[in-house]
Every structure is written in structure tokens, then in C-alpha cells.
Amino acid sequence: MAETILVVVEQREGKLNRVSMETLTAAQSIAAETGWTLEAALLGGSVDAMAQEIAKVKVGKVYALQSPQLERYTADAYVAALKQFISSKQPKLVLMPHTYQVRDFAPKLAAALGRTLISDSVAYRKDGDKLVFTRQMFQGKFAADVSFSCDPPHFATFQAGSYRGDKVEMGASPAAIEKVAVQLDAGAIRVKPLEIFKEAKQAVDLTQAEIIVSVGRGIK
């Protein structure tokens, strides 16, 4: 078991989710306290440009997990790809930003590897050889300290805003990038991705209305 922290960086349609930088800030803090190596992984169809951007951060290595089946997000594909990769690399701690996408696939990933997930963390502390994560519960009225009792790899997510992305430490030189060609069984991807929701134009055509009901100050 390598003493490595792996941050799964999120991207969508070729753009990095900036909340991942917050998770990298948290990971750098943990790495500084534990002495563990920090690495990052990025998934997609072709993520070379984004991998180069992440490589500017102070990390040991960036893994670019690529496959045509990862071009558009599905939980099935992400779980299958990360299960292969994590089983091979055996990091000690896997950190992710707590986004809608991560909330969708992270519990399935942890379950697929027979591990547990501490989600919605807002802070951590080192207690001897153990990491303790703080979770807010009951709409922030109660805070619980949680730690892992299972064997690693351990999985945890940090809420947006828990750490500052602009405080992430940049490296003196770009980190090495390793391209990983992920082999996925297309038949195992059961969920078909749909078009991402797009907001309609903020315009209403009133010329076709037979009756207009005015509430408040009215419409001229």
C-alpha cells in the first residue's frame, strides 16, 4: 500500500471544475502533515490540455485517464475506470470535491472496492497516525468527527468552500504527466448520457397571447 494521496480532479466539457483546486489545497495540507505523496487523476476522452494545467500545481504526478467511453460523464464509466486505476495504484487516501457529479459516482466507487466514504467534510485533523474528518450535520447545527476503521484506500470528499482554491501551492516546475489508456467494456455502461440541460433565452414573446394578466406594477 503506497502512502499516496490521490485527488480526483473534476472536469466537464473540457473545462476544469475550479472547486477541485480547493480539494488540492486540502490535500497539500494533509500531505505536508503526513509526509505522504500527493498525486492527481483526471478522466475524460482527451484531457491532455487540462492535465498540463493541473501539472502546474505542486503534485508528484498527474494521471490522465483516457477512453472514448469517458468522453461524456456516466457513473458506470467513471466507477469502472477509477476502480481499475485505484486497484492498480493502491493509494492510501482518495480525495474528491463534493459536487453533484462526485455525489453520483463516489458511493458506488467506494462500494465497488469494498470501502467506505466520508462525504461532506469541511475540515480534517491529524490525531496520531489517524486522520479525523469533520462533517456538518442537521443543516450545520451539529459537527461530527469521523475516522476510518477499514483498510485503505480511504475515500473522502470536501464541501465547496471548505478550503480556498486560490491558496493552492504551485510547483517550481510542471509535474510529470502519465497517460493511462483505460479499457472499458461498452456493454457495462448501462446509462446513456443525455444532453446537458441548457437554460432557455431570457425572452418571452407576448405578441401571440390572447390575454395578458398583469400582477404588480403592470405591463405597458
Side-chain angles (χ1 to χ4, degrees), residues 23-98:
T23 306
L24 283 165
T25 301
Q28 287 178 340
S29 177
I30 296 174
E33 285 198 63
T34 59
W36 299 347
T37 301
L38 173 57
E39 298 179 338
L42 187 64
L43 293 81
S46 177
V47 294
D48 291 345
M50 290 177 288
Q52 291 174 12
E53 186 174 349
I54 294 299
K56 297 175 184 177
V57 176
K58 187 179 179 181
V59 296
K61 182 180 286 188
V62 177
Y63 297 95
L65 279 61
Q66 302 184 109
S67 168
Q69 283 79 24
L70 294 172
E71 182 68 36
R72 298 179 64 189
Y73 167 77
T74 66
D76 292 337
Y78 268 51
V79 168
L82 285 169
K83 181 182 178 182
Q84 287 181 30
F85 181 72
I86 291 171
S87 297
S88 172
K89 295 297 180 181
Q90 288 291 301
K92 196 162 189 176
L93 177 64
V94 180
L95 296 178
M96 295 165 280
H98 193 78

Side-chain angles (χ1 to χ4, degrees), residues 113-129:
L113 290 167
R115 298 296 187 267
T116 56
L117 167 70
I118 296 178
S119 63
D120 298 279
S121 302
V122 295
Y124 83 92
R125 75 173 191 274
K126 190 172 181 290
D127 185 3
D129 294 332

Side-chain angles (χ1 to χ4, degrees), residues 3-208:
E3 292 193 331
T4 303
I5 304 169
L6 179 69
V7 174
V8 179
V9 177
E10 181 175 313
Q11 63 89 14
R12 177 174 291 181
E13 294 186 309
K15 295 182 180 180
L16 292 171
N17 188 332
R18 304 309 299 181
V19 74
S20 293
M21 291 298 181
E22 299 176 11
T23 306
L24 283 165
T25 301
Q28 287 178 340
S29 177
I30 296 174
E33 285 198 63
T34 59
W36 299 347
T37 301
L38 173 57
E39 298 179 338
L42 187 64
L43 293 81
S46 177
V47 294
D48 291 345
M50 290 177 288
Q52 291 174 12
E53 186 174 349
I54 294 299
K56 297 175 184 177
V57 176
K58 187 179 179 181
V59 296
K61 182 180 286 188
V62 177
Y63 297 95
L65 279 61
Q66 302 184 109
S67 168
Q69 283 79 24
L70 294 172
E71 182 68 36
R72 298 179 64 189
Y73 167 77
T74 66
D76 292 337
Y78 268 51
V79 168
L82 285 169
K83 181 182 178 182
Q84 287 181 30
F85 181 72
I86 291 171
S87 297
S88 172
K89 295 297 180 181
Q90 288 291 301
K92 196 162 189 176
L93 177 64
V94 180
L95 296 178
M96 295 165 280
H98 193 78
T99 62
Y100 287 108
Q101 181 171 290
V102 169
R103 187 190 304 177
D104 184 45
F105 78 81
K108 301 175 186 178
L109 174 61
L113 290 167
R115 298 296 187 267
T116 56
L117 167 70
I118 296 178
S119 63
D120 298 279
S121 302
V122 295
Y124 83 92
R125 75 173 191 274
K126 190 172 181 290
D127 185 3
D129 294 332
K130 182 171 58 177
L131 287 175
V132 179
F133 293 85
T134 300
R135 300 180 70 243
Q136 291 183 335
M137 305 172 69
F138 302 109
Q139 297 180 338
K141 297 178 181 178
F142 179 74
D145 288 339
V146 186
S147 61
F148 292 100
S149 59
C150 63
D151 293 330
H154 298 147
F155 295 84
T157 68
F158 280 105
Q159 284 190 7
S162 300
Y163 292 84
R164 290 182 55 175
D166 60 351
K167 294 295 184 180
V168 70
E169 188 176 353
M170 308 307 286
S173 59
I177 298 174
E178 181 177 330
K179 295 183 181 180
V180 181
V182 182
Q183 301 299 322
L184 297 177
D185 180 7
I189 302 174
R190 298 165 295 175
V191 178
K192 181 180 179 181
L194 299 177
E195 292 294 332
I196 296 176
F197 172 82
K198 293 182 180 180
E199 187 176 359
K201 293 181 179 180
Q202 296 298 312
V204 179
D205 183 8
L206 300 178
T207 61
Q208 304 300 317

